[in-house]
Amino acid sequence: MIIELKNSVNEARAQEIARELKAICVKHEARFVLVTSSSVKEADKRFEAETDRVVVLGDDMQLSSRKYRNEVREIRIGNTVIGGGTNHTMLIGGPCSVESEEQIEQGAQLMKELGISTLRAGAYKPRTSPYTFQGLGLEGLKLLAKMREKYGLNVITEVRDATHIEDVIEHADIIQIGAKSMYDHGILRRCGKTMKPVLLKRGFGTTLQEFVQCAEFILSGGNPNVILCERGIRTFETKTRFTLDLCGAAYLKEYTNLPLVLDPSHAIGYAYGVPDLARACTAMGCDGLLIEVHPDPSVAKSDASQQLNHDQFRALTGSLKKVAEAIGRKIV
Ligand code: PEP
Ligand code: MN
C-alpha cells in the first residue's frame, strides 16, 4: 500500500507514522510517501487526517506501478530527457568497453556526428570468464569523463560491484546496473541514495516481477530516476545469445511508470540481427535503445560478435529515424 501524506506533515512525523506502519518513508517532491507491504489492504484510520491518498496494490510493484502514477516518469539526463511526454526514442550508442582513448574518442565523434546525446561504454566489465579483458577501471571512467567534456555528451557506464560504486556515481551521467548485478543489494541500495539516473538491466534469468522489485529497491531508497532495460533472457534457444523479450517489454510499458530502454545488441549477440531488432523496438515506441558500436568490431576486447561498425551504425540511425517518424516519434 502507498500512503501519500499531506504536504503539511513534516519529516519527524512522517518517520513516526512509518515506524507505526512498518513502512518505508520516501520523500517525493514536497511530500512524504509511505510504502508498506502490498499485503496490507486497509488504511490505518489513526492517520486518516494526515493522509491525502491511499493506493492499494496487488503486489510489490508499487512506486513503479501505473496504478500509483499513471504517466511515464520523465527523467533528466544532462542536457536531455527520457520518458514522460517526450515522444522520442533516445539512442544510446558506443562500444561494449572503453579500450583506449583513441577508440572511445572515435565512438564519441560518431555520436556527435549523428546528433546522439549519450555515449555508452563499460570500464568495469562483468565478464563470464576471469581470463578475458576485465575493463580499464578508473582509467576508463576518466576517459569517458574526458569525452563528456570534449564533446558535450552524456555518458552511461556500468557499476560491476560495490568496490567502485562511488567512482561510477561521480563520473557517469547514468549509472548502469548490469544483468549480472541486478540482484546486488549493495548496489541497489546505494543507487537509491543518489539522484543520478540509473539504468537497471533485467537479469537474464529473472521474471518481470523480480526485475521490477529490484527497481523498487532504488525507488524506495529515495531515487525516483530509474530506467528499465530489457536485454534478452535465457530460453531453450541456443542459436542466438539470448531472446529479446518483447512480450515482457509490452508488459513493462503497460504496467510500470518507468521509461523503458531496449538492448537488441546483448539480446541476439550477433551484429547481423541488430538492425532488424532495433527497428522492431523503435516501432514499439520504446523510450530508449542501447546499441553497441565499435570502430573495428573484429578486434573488440569484449562482445566482438555483436557490435556494429561505424558505417553500419550510421545506416541504422538513418533507418530508425524513418521508423520513428512513421509512428509519430523522433530519434534523439
Ligand atoms: C553491457 O552493456 O556491455 C553489458 C555487460 O550488458 P549486460 O549486463 O546486459 O550483459
Ligand atoms: Mn557488451
Side-chain angles (χ1 to χ4, degrees):
M1 175 187 289
I2 300 180
I3 301 145
E4 279 188 346
L5 296 175
K6 293 200 160 133
N7 281 2
S8 53
V9 178
N10 67 23
E11 180 160 13
R13 179 63 184 148
Q15 294 289 2
E16 205 174 291
I17 303 173
R19 272 193 300 276
E20 283 289 315
L21 298 177
K22 295 188 177 52
I24 293 178
C25 179
V26 198
K27 185 149 196 218
H28 177 58
E29 286 158 11
R31 69 166 78 235
F32 291 93
V33 175
L34 309 182
V35 191
T36 72
S37 156
S38 56
S39 62
V40 179
K41 301 293 181 197
E42 267 184 52
D44 190 321
K45 294 262 187 299
R46 286 178 295 162
F47 309 114
E48 208 170 52
E50 292 159 292
T51 301
D52 251 350
R53 184 164 81 116
V54 172
V55 187
V56 177
L57 292 133
D59 57 35
D60 277 350
M61 296 192 195
Q62 299 204 74
L63 294 167
S64 61
S65 158
R66 287 265 187 161
K67 206 171 160 195
Y68 169 55
R69 241 178 106 144
N70 194 28
E71 66 291 345
V72 178
R73 290 162 193 256
E74 189 164 289
I75 298 179
R76 174 150 292 282
I77 303 155
N79 49 12
T80 182
V81 290
I82 187 167
T86 56
N87 223 19
H88 67 217
T89 296
M90 196 176 101
L91 196 49
I92 301 169
C96 182
S97 302
V98 185
E99 297 174 4
S100 67
E101 180 161 354
E102 191 193 351
Q103 173 251 16
I104 195 63
E105 184 148 19
Q106 286 175 283
Q109 284 167 344
L110 181 67
M111 297 310 126
K112 200 73 200 162
E113 171 197 321
L114 297 171
I116 292 166
S117 61
T118 308
L119 174 69
R120 66 141 283 140
Y124 298 91
K125 299 303 300 177
R127 301 306 301 282
T128 312
S129 163
Y131 309 116
T132 53
F133 178 63
Q134 304 294 305
L136 295 183
L138 186 58
E139 187 193 336
L141 287 185
K142 288 185 175 160
L143 288 173
L144 283 169
K146 194 168 174 181
M147 296 306 121
R148 181 211 289 120
E149 294 313 313
K150 194 162 171 185
Y151 295 96
L153 296 165
N154 299 319
V155 299
I156 169 167
T157 194
E158 176 167 2
V159 52
R160 187 183 57 210
D161 59 66
T163 59
H164 51 260
I165 191 162
E166 302 307 325
D167 289 331
V168 172
I169 292 172
E170 183 188 332
H171 290 87
D173 298 292
I174 310 175
I175 304 152
Q176 176 173 319
I177 303 178
K180 291 170 189 147
S181 315
M182 190 205 79
Y183 281 123
D184 185 320
H185 282 237
I187 293 176
L188 293 172
R189 286 167 193 272
R190 178 64 186 90
C191 285
K193 297 293 168 217
T194 172
M195 284 294 145
K196 282 245 166 117
V198 176
L199 181 129
L200 179 67
K201 286 190 156 197
R202 180 181 181 186
F204 45 79
T206 64
T207 65
L208 294 165
Q209 177 80 33
E210 291 164 339
F211 178 35
V212 177
Q213 281 180 190
C214 284
E216 291 277 337
F217 272 97
I218 305 170
L219 296 167
S220 66
N223 184 353
N225 303 311
V226 180
I227 302 161
L228 298 177
C229 177
E230 157 59 28
R231 47 75 73 208
I233 53 174
R234 183 155 282 163
T235 66
F236 52 80
E237 188 52 71
T238 56
K239 294 291 187 201
T240 58
R241 192 177 180 198
F242 295 98
T243 298
L244 186 61
D245 183 14
L246 294 184
C247 296
Y251 174 89
L252 296 169
K253 272 183 74 188
E254 180 71 12
Y255 289 102
T256 80
N257 58 40
L258 305 176
L260 178 67
V261 168
L262 296 176
D263 171 358
S265 299
H266 289 86
I268 189 164
Y270 299 98
Y272 75 84
V274 171
D276 279 348
L277 287 172
R279 284 186 282 271
C281 294
T282 304
M284 266 187 93
C286 58
D287 300 293
L289 261 182
L290 191 153
I291 312 274
E292 285 194 340
V293 48
H294 190 283
D296 181 358
S298 70
V299 298
K301 293 186 174 168
S302 58
D303 286 347
S305 62
Q306 71 199 29
Q307 304 200 57
L308 301 181
N309 67 33
H310 284 201
D311 280 341
Q312 289 168 329
F313 189 83
R314 282 186 189 95
L316 173 60
T317 306
S319 77
L320 292 181
K321 284 183 180 158
K322 289 185 202 148
V323 175
E325 226 170 83
I327 58 157
R329 293 175 71 90
K330 269 192 176 152
I331 298 289
V332 298

